[in-house]
């Protein structure tokens, strides 16, 4: 039997990886260090990805997307992140958090009107859930929406830590944002969350501030968004009132998988840099890869990297985009991969010494970027909770 590569299960996947890797080497790698240094998002580069069919990678072809699967999404995030995780995070916010969400949960009118614009790069999208006082606790969200007599909604509140919340240094807000807000309580007294599409130019929608001086992911813009009596047309309610949790659960799984893929890209690049340096560097008359202390960093890094790769692509091959019920492994891959990436990047810094500690040699940037993956898209602690709960319900998962 021919060996099976779950990371490239078809010729189409292999061609996609080669295309993205070549494009990343030519266009992403040359700008990565400068955009991190200046905390600047490369908006033109992001828009240009529309020509490659990557901005709507999982959206249906009839709306301008590529209609590809979870493995394809994983490949793209891994390849981009091996060069510039900050830029990749902005791409993820657009392609997964907004475009994929709309493709699977929006109305036909919303998809026909908006998807072609976000798939082409004409519009840049974002998703707004976290707030100054609420993150993982989604039922604690304070942003509210009240329906008016004419059917439109009045949206009030603030959203925090929003990737792509602003798209340039002038504070221009994202072209379109997927916003979660409270719309009251249901018949059992539970918080009711609903989803709205807020577009640039709607009265009351603005950027509060661009957030500077982040530890990592500095090549993506993070912003506070303000909704001050923001008027949202009735047709911009996604689905029915109170359906936000359905939208969240279906989309969180592909989000967490692609965040894990970003961790894989960080780990792969860190391994490359560490392995190369261990051959080039001579100390006490010998290449340092001959020293046991260095061998431990390389050997353990390799084992973690390969374990990440196997788990991530096994999950990708079994994940059905847009449906819930696959949380156990989407949480599991992000829990393991995010910390493993940080540890491998840390080992690369240790092996490279002073060179690893400066920006020119990439690994310190990768190390800083990796930390965000332990927080964003679900904290490590939330993954611990979810996995433990899911194994209570389905203990047989351990032996299947």
């Amino acid at each position: 039997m021919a060996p099976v590569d779950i990371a490239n299960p078809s010729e189409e996947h292999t061609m996609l990886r080669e295309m993205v890797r070549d494009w990343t080497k030519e266009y992403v790698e040359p700008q990565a260090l400068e955009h991190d240094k200046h905390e600047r998002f490369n908006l033109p580069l992001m828009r240009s990805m529309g020509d490659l069919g990557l901005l709507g990678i999982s959206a249906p072809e009839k709306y301008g997307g590529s209609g590809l699967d979870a493995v394809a999404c994983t490949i793209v995030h891994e390849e981009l992140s091996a060069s510039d995780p900050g830029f990749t995070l902005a791409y993820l916010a657009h392609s997964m958090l907004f475009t994929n969400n709309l493709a699977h949960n929006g109305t036909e009118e919303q998809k026909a009107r908006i998807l072609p614009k976000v798939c082409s790069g004409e519009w840049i999208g974002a998703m707004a859930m976290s707030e100054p006082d609420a993150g993982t606790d989604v039922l604690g969200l304070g942003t509210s929406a009240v329906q008016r007599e004419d059917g439109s909604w009045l949206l009030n509140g603030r959203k925090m830590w929003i990737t792509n919340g602003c798209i340039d240094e002038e504070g221009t807000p994202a072209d379109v944002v997927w916003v979660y807000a409270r719309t009251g309580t249901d018949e059992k007294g539970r918080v009711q969350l609903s989803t709205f599409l807020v577009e640039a130019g709607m009265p009351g929608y603005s950027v509060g501030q661009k957030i500077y001086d982040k530890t990592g992911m500095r090549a993506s813009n993070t912003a506070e968004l303000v909704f001050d009596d923001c008027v949202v047309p009735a047709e911009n309610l996604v689905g029915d009132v109170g359906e936000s949790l359905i939208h969240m659960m279906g989309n969180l799984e592909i989000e967490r998988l692609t965040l894990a893929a970003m961790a894989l890209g960080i780990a792969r690049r860190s391994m490359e840099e560490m392995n190369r340096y261990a051959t080039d560097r001579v100390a006490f008359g010998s290449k340092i890869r001959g020293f046991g202390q260095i061998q431990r960093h390389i050997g353990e890094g390799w084992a973690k990297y390969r374990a990440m790769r196997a788990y991530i692509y096994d999950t990708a091959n079994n994940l059905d985009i847009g449906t819930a019920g696959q949380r156990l492994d989407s949480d599991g891959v992000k829990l393991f991969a995010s910390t493993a990436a940080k540890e491998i990047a840390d080992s690369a810094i240790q092996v490279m010494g002073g060179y690893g500690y400066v920006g020119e040699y990439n690994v310190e940037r990768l190390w800083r970027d990796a930390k965000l993956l332990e927080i964003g898209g679900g904290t490590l602690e939330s993954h611990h909770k979810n996995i433990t709960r899911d194994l209570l319900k389905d203990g047989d998962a351990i032996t299947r």
Side-chain angles (χ1 to χ4, degrees):
M1 291 179 61
V4 176
D5 182 0
I6 59 174
N8 302 284
S10 72
E11 183 178 354
E12 183 180 28
H13 290 111
T14 300
M15 292 172 62
L16 174 68
R17 186 181 297 278
E18 291 173 352
M19 183 271 285
V20 177
R21 184 173 293 187
D22 290 345
W23 184 84
T24 299
K25 183 177 180 180
E26 184 173 359
Y27 296 103
V28 179
E29 184 68 21
Q31 56 85 62
L33 180 60
E34 284 301 306
H35 281 76
D36 172 80
K37 184 183 299 183
H38 298 293
E39 300 187 61
R40 191 169 61 237
F41 169 48
N42 195 331
L43 178 59
L45 186 62
M46 175 73 80
R47 293 197 193 279
S48 75
M49 296 178 76
D51 295 334
L52 303 175
L54 298 179
L55 293 181
I57 186 168
S58 60
E61 293 182 62
K62 69 175 182 177
Y63 300 117
S66 297
L68 298 180
D69 61 6
V71 174
C73 296
T74 304
I75 287 170
V76 174
H77 285 83
E78 178 195 343
E79 292 299 329
L80 292 172
S81 190
S83 179
D84 190 344
F87 178 77
T88 310
L89 186 67
Y91 167 74
L92 185 150
H94 175 92
S95 64
M96 298 290 100
L97 302 190
F98 183 84
T99 305
N100 184 75
N101 232 337
L102 180 60
H104 287 90
N105 296 301
T107 66
E108 283 304 311
E109 184 278 331
Q110 291 164 352
K111 289 187 283 188
R113 179 168 58 87
I114 298 174
L115 278 178
K117 295 179 180 178
V118 292
C119 289
S120 68
E122 179 184 348
W123 280 10
I124 298 297
M127 187 270 281
M129 182 172 69
S130 296
E131 297 180 357
D133 297 316
T136 304
D137 177 17
V138 296
L139 295 182
L141 298 181
T143 298
S144 65
V146 177
Q147 193 165 26
R148 306 195 301 178
E149 289 185 3
D150 64 358
S152 65
W153 294 81
L154 211 57
L155 187 64
N156 281 283
R158 291 174 179 266
K159 296 293 185 177
M160 196 67 167
W161 319 116
I162 308 306
T163 303
N164 295 350
C166 67
I167 58 176
D168 56 29
E169 298 309 299
E170 286 69 51
T172 303
D175 296 294
V176 61
V177 186
W178 183 273
V179 181
Y180 295 115
R182 298 170 69 112
T183 48
T185 55
D186 64 16
E187 65 278 2
K188 295 182 179 179
R190 297 172 298 194
V191 172
Q192 186 183 67
L193 297 178
S194 302
T195 308
F196 300 89
L197 295 168
V198 177
E199 301 171 36
M202 287 183 176
Y205 164 46
S206 64
V207 172
Q209 60 176 318
K210 177 185 172 181
I211 298 167
Y212 289 94
D213 204 24
K214 298 180 295 183
T215 295
M217 301 294 185
R218 296 161 76 96
S220 62
N221 281 353
T222 306
E224 175 192 35
L225 296 180
V226 177
F227 304 97
D228 184 9
D229 283 342
C230 177
V231 179
V232 182
E235 60 268 25
N236 279 33
L237 171 70
V238 180
D240 293 326
V241 171
E243 284 191 347
S244 282
L245 290 180
I246 297 173
H247 306 156
M248 286 183 192
M249 294 307 104
N251 209 68
L252 273 174
E253 293 171 359
I254 188 65
E255 174 190 356
R256 289 171 177 171
L257 173 63
T258 47
L259 285 165
M262 287 183 58
L264 183 63
I266 289 172
R268 191 185 86 198
R269 180 65 177 273
S270 297
M271 284 299 306
E272 288 181 289
E273 300 290 348
M274 160 167 57
N275 186 55
R276 183 184 304 113
Y277 186 85
T279 296
D280 295 341
R281 179 71 169 181
V282 174
F284 305 103
S286 301
K287 297 180 184 296
I288 65 170
R289 67 184 311 111
F291 300 151
Q293 300 96 322
I294 302 300
Q295 291 169 355
R296 178 180 177 183
H297 286 297
I298 295 175
E300 291 185 354
W302 172 251
K304 290 175 187 174
Y305 163 65
R306 292 294 290 180
M308 292 165 66
R309 185 178 186 271
Y311 189 14
I312 289 167
Y313 280 103
D314 177 71
T315 301
N317 276 276
N318 289 285
L319 190 142
D320 184 12
I321 297 178
T323 62
Q326 305 152 106
R327 186 175 74 171
L328 185 57
D329 282 324
S330 63
D331 272 66
V333 291
K334 184 171 173 295
L335 172 65
F336 177 65
S338 56
T339 295
K342 187 185 69 175
E343 292 171 349
I344 295 170
D346 189 83
S347 286
I349 293 174
Q350 196 68 26
V351 167
M352 297 171 71
Y355 290 104
Y357 199 63
V358 296
E360 181 182 353
Y361 290 84
N362 298 307
V363 292
E364 70 86 27
R365 173 170 56 88
L366 298 174
W367 180 70
R368 289 187 287 105
D369 289 345
K371 180 60 193 176
L372 185 277
L373 300 177
E374 295 185 324
I375 301 169
T379 62
L380 297 182
E381 294 77 15
S382 71
H383 302 323
H384 295 151
K385 177 194 71 176
N386 290 343
I387 291 168
T388 304
R389 284 183 174 179
D390 289 348
L391 287 177
L392 174 63
K393 299 174 185 176
D394 184 19
D396 292 340
I398 298 170
T399 53
R400 273 203 298 272

